[in-house]
Amino acid sequence: MTRRISLNLSTPPEVLAELARDEDWIIRRRVAGNLSIPPEVLAELSRDENHYVRRNVALNLSTPPEILTQLSRDKDYGTRHFIAGNPSTPVEVLLILIVDDDRGVREAAERALSKRVHCTHQSGG
């Protein structure tokens, strides 16, 4: 039941905040992926000890750019990879990630930058 609540977009923010402190990392991971989660809870989960939780913060389209920027320095390559793919990640962060030590992170950042350049070019910007 708790797992379903953590994924539900209608779950009240105070319940999500409580679930974000659950001892079960799977619950915390699911909360981190909830699009309705308040930014302050995402900030808390971005510092979680479990890299799967941090990865879901990186994937979450509701994660603010400042949290994505902070997470772009995460020791987990998977988290950095997902940061590169998040459309809210600032271009300045992508420019740093294209020289990341991990090949997958570099490639993800290059793809993201290429998409943005392509979209800008098509829109005439």
Side-chain angles (χ1 to χ4, degrees), residues 10 13-15 21 24 37 57 73-74 96 109-110 112 114 124:
S10 299
E14 59 275 5
V15 174
R21 293 186 269 295
D24 184 349
I37 190 168
V57 172
R73 296 181 289 276
D74 197 276
I96 292 168
E110 289 170 7
S114 176

Side-chain angles (χ1 to χ4, degrees), residues 2-123:
T2 304
R3 289 183 180 179
R4 270 190 262 136
I5 292 171
S6 65
L7 293 172
N8 189 324
L9 296 177
S10 299
T11 301
E14 59 275 5
V15 174
L16 290 173
E18 182 66 32
L19 290 173
R21 293 186 269 295
D22 197 282
E23 65 182 37
D24 184 349
W25 69 269
I26 295 172
I27 300 296
R28 296 192 314 273
R29 181 187 72 186
R30 289 177 180 214
V31 169
N34 189 311
L35 294 174
S36 298
I37 190 168
E40 61 274 8
V41 179
L42 279 168
E44 182 182 325
L45 290 170
S46 73
R47 296 182 296 274
D48 197 277
E49 64 191 31
N50 187 290
H51 68 271
Y52 290 113
V53 174
R54 297 191 311 274
R55 286 179 182 189
N56 265 17
V57 172
L59 281 169
N60 191 321
L61 298 177
S62 298
T63 301
E66 57 274 8
I67 295 174
L68 294 170
T69 299
Q70 176 248 323
L71 267 178
S72 71
R73 296 181 289 276
D74 197 276
K75 64 184 180 239
D76 174 56
Y77 72 91
T79 301
R80 296 190 313 275
H81 181 270
F82 292 135
I83 292 293
N86 190 313
S88 297
T89 299
V91 170
E92 300 78 31
V93 172
L94 294 174
L95 291 171
I96 292 168
L97 292 176
I98 62 171
V99 294
D100 193 270
D101 291 338
D102 183 82
R103 179 180 176 187
V105 174
R106 290 192 307 269
E107 291 173 352
E110 289 170 7
R111 279 192 304 276
L113 282 169
S114 176
K115 280 183 191 175
R116 291 190 190 186
V117 168
H118 183 70
C119 288
T120 302
H121 178 69
Q122 281 192 336
S123 68

